[in-house]
Amino acid sequence: MRGSSPRTAGEPSSAPGPVRVEPQAGSRGRRDLGPVRISPSPSPSPSPPRPRAGGGRGAPSGGDWALVRVGGGRAGRAGAAAAMKFPGSVLVSLVLFLSETAAALCLSAGYRDEGDGMWQVLTLLFALVPCVLVQLSLHFIHRDVSRDRPLVLLLHLLQLGPLVRCVEAFYIYFSAERVEEPYVSITKKRQLPKDGYSEEIEKEVGQAEGKLRTHRSAFSRASVIQAFLGSAPQLTLQLYICVLQQEVTVARSIFMVLSLLSIVYGALRCNILAIKIKYDDYDVRVKPAAYLCIFMWRSFEIATRVTVLVLFGSVLRVWVFLVVLLNFLCFFFYPWIQFWLSKSPFPENIEKELSRLGTTIVLCLLTFLYAGINMFCWSAAQVELSDPDLISKSQNWYQMTVYYIVRLMENAFLLLMWYIYRTDFYLYVCAPMLFLQLLIGYCMGIFFMLVFYQFCHPCKKLFSSSITEAFLSCFKILYFICQHHKTTLLKGKVAMKSPENTDEAQGSSKIIDPPNTSIHQSASSNA
């Protein structure tokens, strides 16, 4: 919401004032009001303050909605429960979080038994730091700071926050049929354009569904944090240890598979969050084909990126830190540089309880996460500190094109350095084939990205231009720049050349003359 906190995906935008709910004629004072009609209130008096449905982040709030008194009845409660989606994303996030944390603890214990203290410390560090950040994000999104909930705070300090939140989400879901909801929120969303027309539709969202949306939103953000601040560095570390020790144990392989799944799932949730935030005014429905394309796109992109970093680091150990640090700092300061150039006021009231220092810390953590995502893959949610929602609403194809071109060139350069300085360990590996496979794998990720944006994006009808057109225009610009550079060099060489006799002068004139002129001259000489 503007002025208080960034609006969560799924929240409706601002809208007209008070509304009055009237029963249809013939209701005869029944408990179940049945269909209702919403009409503007003729009274000019200000409406009472409208509370958030569910009282949490991600619940439908502010905007085109009104609190509507509804009747109880089994049919009404069953219909409301049937409209609620099963919180599967919450369960998947919890399973990945717990399994990866347990595997990290077991693997660190194994390193301790083997006497590898450095690997033990790094494994624990990459497991505990994102775990703490996940607890903070869940606590922040649910706004527990402003409420007196000491037991929940204690459970978060014990690193049991995700488990408690998951139990709350499933309790809300399964108790929806038994608990009567006296009020619902009416939200307005626009349909995606069909045959050039778009209609505005109304939805009734109960308090239970609003709370469940808050849990889904919180776990989606927690999955992104876990993926790129924990799982991605963890996967890189474990693969690097495998290369150094020339051994892939069962425990380490299981841990790497879990980390890769966590990264891909976090990138998928980041894509879905970006779509829902950018197109918050529309009723967005993501189809299974879109999920499949995102999964393949992120799998190829992240797996090849991690492998390239590990191969480069195995032969040039010091230089890999410089590459990682340079990448991280560039993406960390990029949103801040954009913000300073825009000369926008400092974002105030990200959360009412936060001071200016607290707001700065939250923004730094946000850009820290943004840099961590772009280290391994393209971040679908582009941070824009001058926007009230902190996320850019525009679809910048050229920025995405430049990112993938530069990243492909960087991966090719790192692989070339690995190929030149590879050690005897890689004698039994077909280095040229591995070089080619990694580049093709990254290009396959780009291919699935193009398929997603061209055919499977749920809001592709709203695009002013397609991504293929953007790619073609970028390549045309690069082609014209290269042609202009070649023409400039050719003219410079011709101008610098000083012929000594007439034959050389004629030869130079033939070089710079058009082909038709040279053909005419040869024909006349033959005649």
Side-chain angles (χ1 to χ4, degrees), residues 32 67 105-106 109 151 177-178 228 235 245 253 297 308 335 409 415 420 443 471 483 497:
D32 290 327
L67 291 179
L105 294 177
C106 293
L151 179 59
E177 296 183 2
R178 299 190 300 271
F228 293 101
L235 176 62
Q245 296 183 354
S253 60
W297 161 26
V308 168
M409 294 173 60
L415 285 174
I420 294 174
C443 293
F471 265 93
Q483 289 296 321
K497 188 174 181 180

Side-chain angles (χ1 to χ4, degrees), residues 312 316-329:
F312 179 77
L316 298 170
R317 301 182 183 181
V318 177
W319 289 98
V320 71
F321 293 104
L322 180 62
V323 171
V324 171
L325 185 62
L326 184 62
N327 271 271
F328 189 85
L329 291 178

Side-chain angles (χ1 to χ4, degrees), residues 127-285:
L128 294 180
V129 169
C131 188
V132 173
L133 294 177
V134 164
Q135 309 297 325
L136 291 176
S137 66
L138 291 175
H139 201 66
F140 180 78
I141 293 172
H142 284 275
R143 298 188 174 183
D144 292 322
V145 178
S146 59
R147 294 186 288 176
D148 187 15
R149 303 184 68 184
L151 179 59
V152 174
L153 178 60
L154 176 62
L155 292 174
H156 275 281
L157 292 176
L158 296 176
Q159 307 301 310
L160 297 176
L163 183 61
V164 175
R165 300 297 185 184
C166 183
V167 172
E168 286 182 357
F170 275 91
Y171 175 77
I172 293 170
Y173 178 77
F174 287 112
S175 63
E177 296 183 2
R178 299 190 300 271
V179 178
E180 178 181 345
E181 292 196 51
Y183 295 99
V184 297
S185 302
I186 297 181
T187 63
K188 289 184 179 180
K189 292 283 186 179
R190 282 186 290 173
Q191 288 181 336
L192 293 174
K194 189 174 183 180
D195 299 329
Y197 296 97
S198 178
E199 295 182 358
E200 194 173 53
I201 57 176
E202 293 181 353
K203 274 188 175 182
E204 292 184 359
V205 181
Q207 293 182 4
E209 186 176 355
K211 292 178 181 178
L212 203 57
R213 285 186 181 183
T214 304
H215 284 282
R216 287 200 189 96
S217 176
F219 272 92
S220 296
R221 287 157 173 77
S223 297
V224 176
I225 294 173
Q226 174 68 23
F228 293 101
L229 298 184
S231 302
Q234 196 75 264
L235 176 62
T236 308
L237 174 66
Q238 302 306 322
L239 188 59
Y240 180 74
I241 295 173
C242 290
V243 172
L244 289 185
Q245 296 183 354
Q246 303 181 12
E247 181 185 9
V248 182
T249 62
V250 176
R252 201 178 293 147
S253 60
I254 293 174
F255 188 31
M256 288 191 294
V257 171
L258 289 174
S259 298
L260 182 60
L261 289 176
S262 177
I263 301 169
V264 174
Y265 181 73
L268 189 147
R269 298 311 308 174
C270 183
N271 274 85
I272 303 303
L273 275 173
I275 292 172
K276 291 185 177 180
I277 292 174
K278 289 178 181 178
Y279 306 99
D280 188 36
D281 296 332
Y282 291 88
D283 185 23
V284 178
R285 299 181 183 275

Side-chain angles (χ1 to χ4, degrees), residues 13 22 37 101 164 244 255 273 303 318 323 329-330 345 358 364 401 405 483 493 521:
S13 57
E22 300 176 357
R37 179 167 59 88
T101 303
V164 175
L244 289 185
F255 188 31
L273 275 173
V318 177
V323 171
L329 291 178
C330 286
C364 288
T401 305
I405 291 175
Q483 289 296 321
K493 289 181 180 179
Q521 289 177 356

Side-chain angles (χ1 to χ4, degrees), residues 297 301 378 395-409 442-454 463-480:
W297 161 26
E301 182 181 8
W378 166 259
Q395 189 69 48
N396 197 330
W397 301 121
Y398 296 101
Q399 188 176 356
M400 180 186 293
T401 305
V402 170
Y403 173 87
Y404 276 103
I405 291 175
V406 173
R407 184 66 79 202
L408 182 61
M409 294 173 60
Y442 196 79
C443 293
M444 285 295 294
I446 298 176
F447 170 75
F448 280 107
M449 179 199 68
L450 293 175
V451 172
F452 168 71
Y453 279 106
Q454 187 70 25
F463 293 164
S464 58
S465 62
S466 64
I467 190 171
T468 52
E469 294 175 356
F471 265 93
L472 289 176
S473 59
C474 285
F475 282 119
K476 286 180 181 178
I477 292 173
L478 292 176
Y479 174 76
F480 285 128

